[in-house]
Amino acid sequence: MSISLSTAGRSGLVYLVGAGMLWGTGGLLGTLLGRATGLSPIAVATCRLAVGGLLLVALLAATRRPWPRNLVAWRRIGAVAVLAATFQACYFGAVAASSVSIATLITIGASPVVVALLEQFTGRRAVDRRRAATIGLALSGLALLVGVPADDVGSTGLLAGAALAVAAAAAFATVTVISSRPIEGLDPMTTTGLGFTGGAALLTPLALTTGITFTPTPGNLALLAALGLIPTAIAYSLYFRGLPDAGPGTAAILALLEPLTGALLATIVLGERLTRLGLLGAALLTVALILTSNQRSTPAGGLRHSSTALDRRGGGPA
């Protein structure tokens, strides 16, 4: 039994690592799409969710996969839709109120902390010294990699941006925690496809205020398809697939592969250069990710019988 759980855990890590690396392409593709089309960031985010979700919905229809038939599954899909829309709206609201660097640093950095607190308070997993140290190491690496924000932002904008960024982190953390418990009859592809299509529908009124149309040249359409497919449809399907086996705490830290991969791609494709502090941050972040992949989940209430762990991987509601 312990061998099978160990194998499942390793499998979950593979999915999460793949998701984190694919997410790293999102910033580059989104930037290129925005430059090519003139779309605002919130419009790019809406198109990303819509294309990623609809591609998966089309695949589900083509393969004649049955739709969810129970209310619990549709509640999960609805929650993913609302949280995905909330995350995007709050993140870009934080960017508008403060700056990209402040919004990114707080949103990405706060997510594993919020997940750890949620797991502690719900009794899913204790925040022991090793886990706290690993999170601290990861956040230190993230701060050095992204860079301590030096933007000229007023105190009001800074506070508003920080509050919206924390709200975005809370939305991502919540979808991570609730999605770690599988639901019978609901697979990761269906969750991502229907949830993100719903999220795009919720964001569309906001995106329309900035304009959501663009010239459909082959290059623009290729960028949009790549953004919807690689860091959205595929990445989030992998993320939801790996969550039940690896656990939300591990998933939240491994999601920090996104800025690490993004920094590497920016160096290769956009010609940006990492400073010495940035390289140190990348090294610290890598160490934290390795430590996370080797840690085992410990329930907050102490060690529990293995059958309980198996029950938690079952098809109960979130």
Side-chain angles (χ1 to χ4, degrees), residues 144-237:
L144 292 174
L145 179 64
V146 175
V148 178
D151 308 271
D152 186 15
V153 179
S155 58
T156 302
L158 180 61
L159 290 175
L164 288 168
V166 170
F172 180 79
T174 303
V175 80
T176 295
V177 172
I178 67 173
S179 299
S180 64
R181 289 188 174 182
I183 291 177
E184 185 177 357
L186 183 62
D187 60 88
M189 187 181 298
T190 302
T191 302
T192 307
L194 296 178
F196 281 15
T197 300
L202 293 173
L203 276 182
T204 297
L206 183 60
L208 286 174
T209 63
T210 66
I212 201 170
T213 59
F214 60 92
T215 304
T217 64
N220 292 343
L221 293 176
L223 284 172
L224 180 59
L227 180 63
L229 180 64
I230 299 171
T232 310
I234 298 177
Y236 274 96
S237 293

